[in-house]
Every structure is written in structure tokens, then in C-alpha cells.
Amino acid sequence: MTHRTITLPITGMTCSNCALSVERNVKKLSGIKKLTVNFASEQAIIDFHPKQLHIKEIVGKIKGAGYNVPRIKKEFPVTGMTCANCAANIERAVNKKVPGVLEASVNFATERLSVEFIPGLSNLDDIAEAIKNAGYGVILADDLAEEDVEKVARDKDIREQTRKFTVGLLFSLPLFLLSMGRDFGLIGAWSHSPWVNWIFLALATPVQFYTGWDYYTGGIKSLKNGSANMDVLVAMGSSVAYFYSVAVLVLPMMDGHVYFETSAVIITLIKLGKMMESRTKGKTGGAIRKLIGLRPRSATIIENGVEKEVPLTIVKVGDMVVVRPGEKIPVDGTVMEGSSSVDESMLTGEPLPVDKTVNDFVVGGTVNGEGRLKFRATRVGKETALAQIIRLVQEAQGSKAPVQDMADRVAAVFVPSVIGIAVITFVLWWSLTGEFVPAMIRLVAVLLIACPCALGLATPTAIMAGTGKGAEKGILFKNSEALEKATRLNTIVLDKTGTITMGKPSVSGIYPLKPACETDMHLLRIAASVEKGSEHPVGKAVVMEAVKRSVDLVEPEDFKASSGFGVQARIDGELIRVGKPKWFSEMGIDTDNAEEGITGSPASRIRQLQAEGKTVMIVMRGNKMCGLIAVSDLLKPESKSAIQQLHDLKLGVFMLTGDNIGTAQTIASEVNIDEIFAEVHPEEKSVKIKELQDIGKKVGMVGDGINDAPALAQADVGFAIGTGTDVAIETAGVILSSGNLTGISTAIRISQKTMSTVKQNLFFAFFYNLVLIPVAAGVLAPFEFFPVFLRQLHPILAALAMACSSISVVTNSLRLYNKRM
């Protein structure tokens, strides 16, 4: 059964337990295959069966759990309807054919469509296309461009938190100053009058039930979902202080100090922490916003010979697009007219512009230089390279690293455990001292100092920063598992052709052997005619050489390829074979029976050419050798330095090639390869990777992502060398979109520093809670050499510590952006 994977933004989560609640509730739906909710990125990656489950049901389940998914509502005219059935047809087409549409309704009388959809899963262009395919028209005005509703929702949340914090501060500050002034005798005797406590109540109540209302609603939501989150701790801690003070105030039998300033300051401090956490956390997702910001909102197309500026969503495959100097290229396409240099650093991480001329490929989001380009759109919307990169980065940032499992397991039982510790602390101290108030203060301090958020943010914020840093450098981690596994690699296996070398072999020598072949042109003609049917790079190089020399080729008959060895066909009625020396040896054909044409025997000449790092192809006419063709593939300029960087990281470097051992050894010596696997057939590459793994190696395989797909999949981490646009390589865990080999060491360094940050964050989060919860419970009380504020930790200090802990973790993750990789 087919399944779909979607990424949904989720708002309203306050800690990692909220993410677990969403997971628990959505997994109850039939049709869910896999689900991961990331608290830091506030996203859910959901793999489900669309025939069993509609997105609307998933969103409804998330809303039922007390959280929300940002959506867009739009209304616009449709044309071509003739009756009410037409309206029903349009509704059915939009609801069923457009992924991400939650609800669509058409008013036949007003001829307008009202639609609610999730941005990122679908857009107005998708909706318009579904309507047109159903046989109707649609009018999209320029001002209906899709908004970044996720960002709008996040900004709205931050504004609301800021407003509530401001209210809390306005009431808490005078309350705190008055209370402290009274306690320390800094203000007059009037402050001890009973009516002053009523002023304290009046100041504390707006803080408790306006600034702190989110903690009550969030706590109730959490408990309804069968779990307990940070909101439960804050609501309980502040409520104990507040309602105890109310009881002192209104019940004649109770007499004592009121703690209104404690409850108010607690809520205000924690609200300050959450506000700063949200703002800081938002910076870890800066890479996504930068990528989204690269998309222009409009494009200039040529329609009926006239240039016309249209919204980006209107551009279709096949449209002729014009880009002026300095403008962003709106979609992917092939240049039809003009030449320019294009800044592709957003895609590859390489700072130097790339020259573009007719027939070259340009990528949406890159910046045109001085020239004017006219190109034909080949990929638009979700198919563009930029859209695919955004999707990959979003999925990587939303995925969970294996190391996070432990933190999630702890978070699931953390809050109930803290509540249990707080109750035990209260009972123990009350029974030991007989004093209610000090025991209550310790209970509140335990509730407030515990911080599940730090545990929940430790891993995902670092992963978001690390994958974002990688995207800036043209390195795309497909998921956080690949990022984590890259730190454990001790061996890198490099494919030769297209990875270490340029991947564009060219003919470097033609050696005819008489009497079978008289001239270079004769030998080239028969060899290239056979290779016309080949897709192998060496075969293509022979054909290109023939084209360059204007050789007339004939169509091969009975063409047959022997994978990894050579090809054969009939040319002018004669059987011609072109292939590796080993192929002919295995067939028992004598390849040393030529009469003249080269110095020494053919076998010695082959060894000499191979020693020079060239690939030698023998051309046989019947059972007689009629010549040799030498092909060479130049090394990439960065190969030697890139391999040295891998050695600097203490990694063993192997080369995997189908070429002969002589050529492989020559190339290996030039770039300092440790070991070689030569004359390996394409289907055997994954077997070689498995052999290394069987002797305990952690292997990273580097290849082009197409021919090397099985080996990339077999490796612990597959590194696919992209071309700048090939970003949808399924078998690789890491994509190097720049095509530069130095990206391997950069990717490994990013993964190492990211996982180091994860470990620092987890250590801090666990250490913070393991040390400070006992301090709040009063374990230091018997030891008089400790300061008083540690022996009896005040709830306000506990709230301050809680507020700072999450911010510290997120800030530490953000340091990744400033590190050199």
C-alpha cells in the first residue's frame, strides 16, 4: 500500500512532554505508519497511508490534544460553472486531488471558492491546477500570494508572550518591592497593616490568571492527554503559594506571612524565560528562513512576445522566463539566450560565480550577475532544486537522532517523578520540623526548579543548528541519524570516476595494429561505431573523439554489453569487440598476436599505458587484435587536499573502481589513497562495503548517487556527490550539492561538533536537574557551612534557575553557527 510523508508545523507546545502527547494521540489513528514530533523545530513528520487516513483527521487529532496546526484560508472566484453539480465537482476535485487541503467549499450563487489548506503541503497554484483539470477556470489575483503563515503564527505567539510578560512585570515589580521593603523594614509601619495584604492580592491576581493562564490551560491539556508537562509544575508551584496566601488572608483561623510576591514573581520570571527561549529557539531555524527567503515572489515571463511580470505560482513548465542583471532566478530552467555569471553559493556553498550560457542549467533562488538571461522553465513549484533542499533540511531538522531516545524516555516520567519528590519533601520536612510553611516553600522550590524543557531541547536545537550550518555550506543531511552516525566513521570509501576524477574521460591515445587496422581513423571508426550503443563513460569518450574528428560512424548490429568489461557488435558484417584486457583473457583470446604498429608487444604497451594511469581498451576484429585505445580521466583539482583532510581526521581512505589495478595504483599514489579495490564490477561494490563492515569498519561510501546506489545504501553513511541540482538522491544519507570532495571532511566535522554540542547539552540538562532538585528539597539544610540561600532555596531563585536552564541549552546550540567547520 502506498504511503505519504508530510511535515506539519505545530504550535502550542511548551515542552518535550507536549511533543510526546501529540505523538501518543496521533498514533491512535488507523493508517499512521511512522510519526516523529520535534519540540525544538515545532514540527511533526508523519508517514501515513492516504487511503486509510485524511490529513484533516490528523489535524483534528492534534487540535483535540490541545495544539494547533497553522493554516491559510483563502477565497477567490471560479468560472465556468453552469449548475450546482459543477460546484460539487470543484469541491470534490480540490478536496481529493490537492494534498494539504483541509476543507474546500464552493458557493454556486456567488461563484466563489473558499478553501483552507496547510502551507508547505499545498499552495494556490496546486489548487488552481486541480480546478482547471476539473474543467473550470479560476482567477488568482496578485495579492493572493502565499504567506509564511508558520512564521506569522510563531511571531504572533512571541508577541502574545511578550505582552503577558509585560503585564506580569508591571504588577510583579511593585508587589515585589513592597513585600521586600516590608520584610526588611525599609518602609514604614503602615506596610504591616492588614489592608496592605489586600493590595498584594490585587497586584498578584492579574499575574496569576492572565500572565500565568497559559500554564493552567497547558497543564490541563497535558493531564487530559495522560501525561504531565512543565506547565503542570509551574501551575502547581505558583498555585500553592498564591492560594495559601489567599487562605491566610480570608480565613480567620490562619495567621502568617502571605506569599503573593512569590507566586507573581515565579510566573513572571518563567514567562520571561519562555519568551527568551522562543526568540532564541527561533534562531536555530534560521537556515530554513534564509532558504525560504531566497524565493522571489514574482517572475517575468514572455507571453505572446510581450514581457509580463506574474506571481511565482503562475509560472508553468515550458514558460519562457527573463532574468535581468542582479535579479533572482525564479525557477529552474535551461538557458535559451544570453550569457551571464550566476551566484550559486546558496546551493553549493561555493563563493565564486558560475558562468552560464546557452543550454546550461540555472537554478531557482540563485542570483544572476551582469548579463541578461532568457531561459525555459523546466521545474517549478515543489519540483525546483531549492524547494527540494528546503524539504530535505526541514525533514532533517524535524527528525529525531537516536541519542534523543534516552532523553525522551526520561522526559516521559520526569514530571510525575518531580511531583512525587516534591510531595515527599513536603511530608518529610513537615513531619521532621512540625513547621508547615518551610515545608511548603521547599515543595514549591522543587516543583519550580525542575526543568524538563532543557532535556527536550538539548538534542533537537543542536541538530537544527548543525543541519542549518551544513545547508549553508552545500551539505544536506537527509536526517539526524546520518548526522549522528557520521561521527563514528573510521573508513571512507571513494568511488573513482566522477568522485576522485572529473568523471569525463577523454581519449588520450589511439594505437592501430597492422594488418588488422591500418590507420588511427580506421581504428576509431570501428571502435566508436560499436560504442554508439554504450552508456559507459569510457564508451562515450570514444564516440566523442570520433565526432570531434568528423568520423563517419555506422549503426551497430547485434549490440551486446558485458557489464564492467566491454561491448561487442557487428560493424559492416564483422564482429568487433571493444573492452578491457581482462575480458579477452577470460574468454581465452590471445591479445598479443599483432604483427606491427607499436613498439614492443601489445601486452608490454598495455602495461606501460596503465602505469601512466590510463584506461586501456583493446579493439578486436574477429579474433585478431586491431588496436589499443587509451582513455584518461583527469583528477579533480581538490582531490588530493580533500583526501589529506580525511587523513587529518584519522580516517582510513579506500578507493573503489572498476578500472584495472595499474591505473588504480597510479591514481592512488597521486592522491595518497591507503588501499584499493580495483576491477570491481558495479554490482560488487556493495559487497566490498559489506566486507569492510564485517571486519569492524564503520564505513562512509562516497559516490555519484546513481551507479553507486547499492553501495551508498549498504554503507553506514552514504555521501552522494551532487551536481548542484541533484538533491533528491534517495540512497544517500548526506548530499554534497557542491560536488566538491572537500565537503566530506566538512560534513564529518559538522557532525562531530554537533554531536559534541548535543552531549554538552544533555550533560548540562541532566546535571542541572540531578543537582538542583535535591538542593531545592533541602539536602544541604543540615550543613551550616553552606550559604543560607542554598540550605533553604527560595522559590523565586528556583524559578529563575528554571528560566535560565532552557535558554542556556539553546544558546549553546546556537554557538554552532559561529564555529569554523
Short mmCIF file of all heavy atoms in Angstrom, two decimals, residues 557-595:
data_model
loop_
_atom_site.label_atom_id
_atom_site.label_comp_id
_atom_site.label_asym_id
_atom_site.label_seq_id
_atom_site.Cartn_x
_atom_site.Cartn_y
_atom_site.Cartn_z
N GLU A 557 25.14 -3.52 -35.22
CA GLU A 557 24.14 -4.59 -35.27
C GLU A 557 24.47 -5.62 -34.20
O GLU A 557 25.63 -5.87 -33.90
CB GLU A 557 24.14 -5.25 -36.66
CG GLU A 557 23.73 -4.30 -37.78
CD GLU A 557 23.83 -4.97 -39.15
OE1 GLU A 557 24.30 -6.13 -39.21
OE2 GLU A 557 23.45 -4.33 -40.14
N ASP A 558 23.43 -6.25 -33.66
CA ASP A 558 23.59 -7.28 -32.62
C ASP A 558 24.43 -6.77 -31.46
O ASP A 558 25.32 -7.46 -30.95
CB ASP A 558 24.25 -8.55 -33.21
CG ASP A 558 23.45 -9.14 -34.36
OD1 ASP A 558 22.21 -9.00 -34.33
OD2 ASP A 558 24.05 -9.71 -35.29
N PHE A 559 24.16 -5.54 -31.05
CA PHE A 559 24.94 -4.94 -29.95
C PHE A 559 24.70 -5.70 -28.65
O PHE A 559 23.58 -6.09 -28.32
CB PHE A 559 24.55 -3.47 -29.74
CG PHE A 559 25.24 -2.82 -28.57
CD1 PHE A 559 26.49 -2.28 -28.73
CD2 PHE A 559 24.63 -2.78 -27.33
CE1 PHE A 559 27.13 -1.68 -27.66
CE2 PHE A 559 25.26 -2.18 -26.24
CZ PHE A 559 26.52 -1.64 -26.40
N LYS A 560 25.79 -5.90 -27.90
CA LYS A 560 25.70 -6.59 -26.62
C LYS A 560 26.76 -6.02 -25.67
O LYS A 560 27.92 -5.85 -26.06
CB LYS A 560 25.92 -8.10 -26.82
CG LYS A 560 25.75 -8.91 -25.55
CD LYS A 560 25.98 -10.40 -25.84
CE LYS A 560 25.83 -11.21 -24.55
NZ LYS A 560 26.10 -12.66 -24.80
N ALA A 561 26.34 -5.71 -24.46
CA ALA A 561 27.27 -5.18 -23.46
C ALA A 561 27.51 -6.22 -22.38
O ALA A 561 26.58 -6.92 -21.95
CB ALA A 561 26.70 -3.91 -22.83
N SER A 562 28.75 -6.34 -21.97
CA SER A 562 29.11 -7.20 -20.84
C SER A 562 29.50 -6.27 -19.70
O SER A 562 30.58 -5.67 -19.71
CB SER A 562 30.28 -8.12 -21.22
OG SER A 562 30.60 -8.97 -20.15
N SER A 563 28.60 -6.12 -18.72
CA SER A 563 28.72 -5.09 -17.68
C SER A 563 30.10 -5.11 -17.03
O SER A 563 30.55 -6.12 -16.50
CB SER A 563 27.65 -5.30 -16.62
OG SER A 563 27.79 -4.36 -15.58
N GLY A 564 30.75 -3.95 -17.06
CA GLY A 564 32.04 -3.79 -16.40
C GLY A 564 33.22 -4.29 -17.20
O GLY A 564 34.36 -4.14 -16.77
N PHE A 565 32.97 -4.93 -18.37
CA PHE A 565 34.07 -5.50 -19.15
C PHE A 565 34.22 -4.84 -20.52
O PHE A 565 35.29 -4.40 -20.89
CB PHE A 565 33.86 -7.00 -19.33
CG PHE A 565 34.18 -7.79 -18.10
CD1 PHE A 565 33.18 -8.38 -17.35
CD2 PHE A 565 35.49 -7.94 -17.69
CE1 PHE A 565 33.47 -9.11 -16.22
CE2 PHE A 565 35.80 -8.68 -16.56
CZ PHE A 565 34.79 -9.27 -15.81
N GLY A 566 33.14 -4.80 -21.31
CA GLY A 566 33.24 -4.27 -22.65
C GLY A 566 31.97 -4.44 -23.43
O GLY A 566 30.93 -4.83 -22.89
N VAL A 567 32.05 -4.15 -24.74
CA VAL A 567 30.88 -4.25 -25.61
C VAL A 567 31.28 -4.93 -26.91
O VAL A 567 32.46 -4.98 -27.29
CB VAL A 567 30.28 -2.85 -25.93
CG1 VAL A 567 29.71 -2.21 -24.69
CG2 VAL A 567 31.35 -1.93 -26.54
N GLN A 568 30.28 -5.46 -27.63
CA GLN A 568 30.55 -6.07 -28.93
C GLN A 568 29.36 -5.82 -29.85
O GLN A 568 28.23 -5.62 -29.40
CB GLN A 568 30.81 -7.57 -28.80
CG GLN A 568 29.61 -8.37 -28.33
CD GLN A 568 29.93 -9.85 -28.21
OE1 GLN A 568 30.96 -10.23 -27.64
NE2 GLN A 568 29.04 -10.70 -28.74
N ALA A 569 29.63 -5.80 -31.16
CA ALA A 569 28.58 -5.61 -32.16
C ALA A 569 29.16 -5.96 -33.53
O ALA A 569 30.38 -6.12 -33.69
CB ALA A 569 28.07 -4.16 -32.14
N ARG A 570 28.28 -6.06 -34.50
CA ARG A 570 28.74 -6.29 -35.87
C ARG A 570 28.78 -4.95 -36.60
O ARG A 570 27.80 -4.21 -36.62
CB ARG A 570 27.82 -7.28 -36.59
CG ARG A 570 27.92 -8.68 -36.03
CD ARG A 570 27.31 -9.73 -36.94
NE ARG A 570 27.54 -11.05 -36.37
CZ ARG A 570 28.66 -11.76 -36.56
NH1 ARG A 570 29.62 -11.28 -37.35
NH2 ARG A 570 28.80 -12.95 -36.00
N ILE A 571 29.95 -4.68 -37.18
CA ILE A 571 30.15 -3.46 -37.97
C ILE A 571 30.54 -3.90 -39.38
O ILE A 571 31.56 -4.61 -39.55
CB ILE A 571 31.27 -2.56 -37.36
CG1 ILE A 571 30.93 -2.22 -35.91
CG2 ILE A 571 31.46 -1.31 -38.21
CD1 ILE A 571 29.67 -1.41 -35.72
N ASP A 572 29.73 -3.49 -40.34
CA ASP A 572 29.95 -3.90 -41.74
C ASP A 572 30.05 -5.43 -41.83
O ASP A 572 30.87 -5.98 -42.57
CB ASP A 572 31.22 -3.26 -42.32
CG ASP A 572 31.11 -1.74 -42.37
OD1 ASP A 572 29.97 -1.24 -42.54
OD2 ASP A 572 32.14 -1.07 -42.23
N GLY A 573 29.24 -6.11 -41.01
CA GLY A 573 29.19 -7.57 -41.07
C GLY A 573 30.24 -8.27 -40.25
O GLY A 573 30.20 -9.50 -40.11
N GLU A 574 31.21 -7.56 -39.69
CA GLU A 574 32.28 -8.18 -38.91
C GLU A 574 32.02 -8.00 -37.41
O GLU A 574 31.53 -6.96 -36.98
CB GLU A 574 33.64 -7.57 -39.25
CG GLU A 574 34.15 -7.92 -40.64
CD GLU A 574 35.56 -7.40 -40.83
OE1 GLU A 574 35.71 -6.17 -41.01
OE2 GLU A 574 36.51 -8.20 -40.80
N LEU A 575 32.39 -9.03 -36.62
CA LEU A 575 32.25 -8.94 -35.17
C LEU A 575 33.40 -8.10 -34.61
O LEU A 575 34.58 -8.44 -34.78
CB LEU A 575 32.27 -10.34 -34.55
CG LEU A 575 32.18 -10.37 -33.01
CD1 LEU A 575 30.86 -9.79 -32.53
CD2 LEU A 575 32.37 -11.80 -32.48
N ILE A 576 33.04 -7.02 -33.94
CA ILE A 576 34.02 -6.13 -33.31
C ILE A 576 33.78 -6.14 -31.81
O ILE A 576 32.65 -5.98 -31.35
CB ILE A 576 33.90 -4.68 -33.83
CG1 ILE A 576 33.97 -4.65 -35.37
CG2 ILE A 576 34.98 -3.81 -33.20
CD1 ILE A 576 35.29 -5.09 -35.95
N ARG A 577 34.86 -6.36 -31.05
CA ARG A 577 34.78 -6.29 -29.59
C ARG A 577 35.68 -5.17 -29.10
O ARG A 577 36.82 -5.03 -29.57
CB ARG A 577 35.23 -7.60 -28.94
CG ARG A 577 34.36 -8.80 -29.23
CD ARG A 577 34.85 -9.98 -28.38
NE ARG A 577 34.11 -11.19 -28.65
CZ ARG A 577 34.49 -12.12 -29.50
NH1 ARG A 577 35.61 -11.96 -30.20
NH2 ARG A 577 33.78 -13.22 -29.66
N VAL A 578 35.17 -4.39 -28.14
CA VAL A 578 35.96 -3.32 -27.51
C VAL A 578 35.83 -3.50 -26.00
O VAL A 578 34.71 -3.48 -25.46
CB VAL A 578 35.46 -1.91 -27.90
CG1 VAL A 578 36.37 -0.85 -27.29
CG2 VAL A 578 35.40 -1.76 -29.41
N GLY A 579 36.95 -3.70 -25.32
CA GLY A 579 36.84 -3.93 -23.88
C GLY A 579 38.17 -3.99 -23.17
O GLY A 579 39.24 -3.78 -23.76
N LYS A 580 38.10 -4.33 -21.89
CA LYS A 580 39.29 -4.40 -21.04
C LYS A 580 40.12 -5.63 -21.40
O LYS A 580 39.57 -6.67 -21.80
CB LYS A 580 38.88 -4.47 -19.58
CG LYS A 580 38.16 -3.24 -19.08
CD LYS A 580 37.74 -3.44 -17.63
CE LYS A 580 37.02 -2.21 -17.11
NZ LYS A 580 36.56 -2.40 -15.70
N PRO A 581 41.44 -5.55 -21.21
CA PRO A 581 42.29 -6.72 -21.48
C PRO A 581 41.84 -7.96 -20.72
O PRO A 581 41.88 -9.08 -21.24
CB PRO A 581 43.67 -6.25 -21.01
CG PRO A 581 43.64 -4.76 -21.17
CD PRO A 581 42.23 -4.37 -20.85
N LYS A 582 41.38 -7.78 -19.48
CA LYS A 582 40.98 -8.91 -18.64
C LYS A 582 39.81 -9.68 -19.28
O LYS A 582 39.70 -10.91 -19.16
CB LYS A 582 40.57 -8.41 -17.26
CG LYS A 582 40.23 -9.51 -16.27
CD LYS A 582 39.85 -8.92 -14.92
CE LYS A 582 39.45 -10.03 -13.95
NZ LYS A 582 39.02 -9.48 -12.64
N TRP A 583 38.95 -8.96 -19.97
CA TRP A 583 37.78 -9.58 -20.60
C TRP A 583 38.21 -10.61 -21.65
O TRP A 583 37.73 -11.75 -21.67
CB TRP A 583 36.92 -8.48 -21.24
CG TRP A 583 35.61 -8.92 -21.80
CD1 TRP A 583 34.80 -9.89 -21.32
CD2 TRP A 583 34.95 -8.40 -22.96
NE1 TRP A 583 33.66 -10.00 -22.09
CE2 TRP A 583 33.73 -9.08 -23.10
CE3 TRP A 583 35.27 -7.39 -23.87
CZ2 TRP A 583 32.84 -8.81 -24.13
CZ3 TRP A 583 34.37 -7.10 -24.89
CH2 TRP A 583 33.17 -7.81 -25.02
N PHE A 584 39.18 -10.19 -22.46
CA PHE A 584 39.64 -11.08 -23.53
C PHE A 584 40.42 -12.26 -22.96
O PHE A 584 40.33 -13.39 -23.46
CB PHE A 584 40.48 -10.28 -24.53
CG PHE A 584 39.70 -9.22 -25.25
CD1 PHE A 584 39.79 -7.89 -24.86
CD2 PHE A 584 38.84 -9.55 -26.29
CE1 PHE A 584 39.06 -6.91 -25.51
CE2 PHE A 584 38.10 -8.57 -26.94
CZ PHE A 584 38.20 -7.25 -26.55
N SER A 585 41.18 -11.99 -21.90
CA SER A 585 41.94 -13.09 -21.26
C SER A 585 41.00 -14.15 -20.73
O SER A 585 41.25 -15.36 -20.86
CB SER A 585 42.81 -12.53 -20.14
OG SER A 585 43.74 -11.63 -20.65
N GLU A 586 39.90 -13.70 -20.09
CA GLU A 586 38.94 -14.64 -19.51
C GLU A 586 38.20 -15.44 -20.59
O GLU A 586 37.71 -16.55 -20.33
CB GLU A 586 37.95 -13.89 -18.62
CG GLU A 586 38.56 -13.38 -17.33
CD GLU A 586 37.55 -12.71 -16.42
OE1 GLU A 586 36.37 -12.57 -16.82
OE2 GLU A 586 37.94 -12.30 -15.31
N MET A 587 38.11 -14.83 -21.79
CA MET A 587 37.47 -15.55 -22.90
C MET A 587 38.47 -16.46 -23.63
O MET A 587 38.12 -17.16 -24.57
CB MET A 587 36.86 -14.55 -23.90
CG MET A 587 35.60 -13.88 -23.38
SD MET A 587 34.73 -12.96 -24.68
CE MET A 587 35.85 -11.62 -25.00
N GLY A 588 39.75 -16.42 -23.19
CA GLY A 588 40.77 -17.28 -23.81
C GLY A 588 41.25 -16.77 -25.15
O GLY A 588 41.81 -17.53 -25.94
N ILE A 589 41.08 -15.48 -25.42
CA ILE A 589 41.51 -14.90 -26.70
C ILE A 589 42.91 -14.36 -26.56
O ILE A 589 43.22 -13.63 -25.60
CB ILE A 589 40.54 -13.78 -27.16
CG1 ILE A 589 39.15 -14.37 -27.40
CG2 ILE A 589 41.06 -13.09 -28.41
CD1 ILE A 589 38.09 -13.33 -27.68
N ASP A 590 43.79 -14.67 -27.50
CA ASP A 590 45.18 -14.20 -27.47
C ASP A 590 45.21 -12.73 -27.87
O ASP A 590 44.83 -12.38 -28.99
CB ASP A 590 46.02 -15.04 -28.44
CG ASP A 590 47.49 -14.61 -28.42
OD1 ASP A 590 47.86 -13.81 -27.54
OD2 ASP A 590 48.25 -15.07 -29.30
N THR A 591 45.64 -11.88 -26.98
CA THR A 591 45.68 -10.43 -27.26
C THR A 591 47.09 -9.97 -27.59
O THR A 591 47.37 -8.78 -27.56
CB THR A 591 45.14 -9.64 -26.05
OG1 THR A 591 45.93 -9.99 -24.91
CG2 THR A 591 43.69 -9.96 -25.80
N ASP A 592 47.98 -10.90 -27.89
CA ASP A 592 49.37 -10.49 -28.15
C ASP A 592 49.83 -11.01 -29.52
O ASP A 592 50.97 -11.36 -29.72
CB ASP A 592 50.29 -11.05 -27.05
CG ASP A 592 51.52 -10.17 -26.85
OD1 ASP A 592 51.50 -9.02 -27.34
OD2 ASP A 592 52.48 -10.64 -26.23
N ASN A 593 48.84 -11.03 -30.45
CA ASN A 593 49.16 -11.63 -31.75
C ASN A 593 49.24 -10.62 -32.88
O ASN A 593 49.04 -10.94 -34.04
CB ASN A 593 48.13 -12.71 -32.10
CG ASN A 593 46.71 -12.12 -32.20
OD1 ASN A 593 46.52 -10.94 -31.96
ND2 ASN A 593 45.75 -12.98 -32.57
N ALA A 594 49.47 -9.35 -32.55
CA ALA A 594 49.59 -8.33 -33.59
C ALA A 594 50.95 -8.42 -34.28
O ALA A 594 51.93 -8.86 -33.68
CB ALA A 594 49.40 -6.95 -32.99
N GLU A 595 51.01 -7.96 -35.54
CA GLU A 595 52.26 -8.06 -36.28
C GLU A 595 53.11 -6.80 -36.14
O GLU A 595 54.31 -6.87 -35.96
CB GLU A 595 51.97 -8.34 -37.76
CG GLU A 595 51.30 -9.71 -37.96
CD GLU A 595 51.02 -10.00 -39.41
OE1 GLU A 595 51.51 -9.25 -40.28
OE2 GLU A 595 50.30 -10.98 -39.70
#
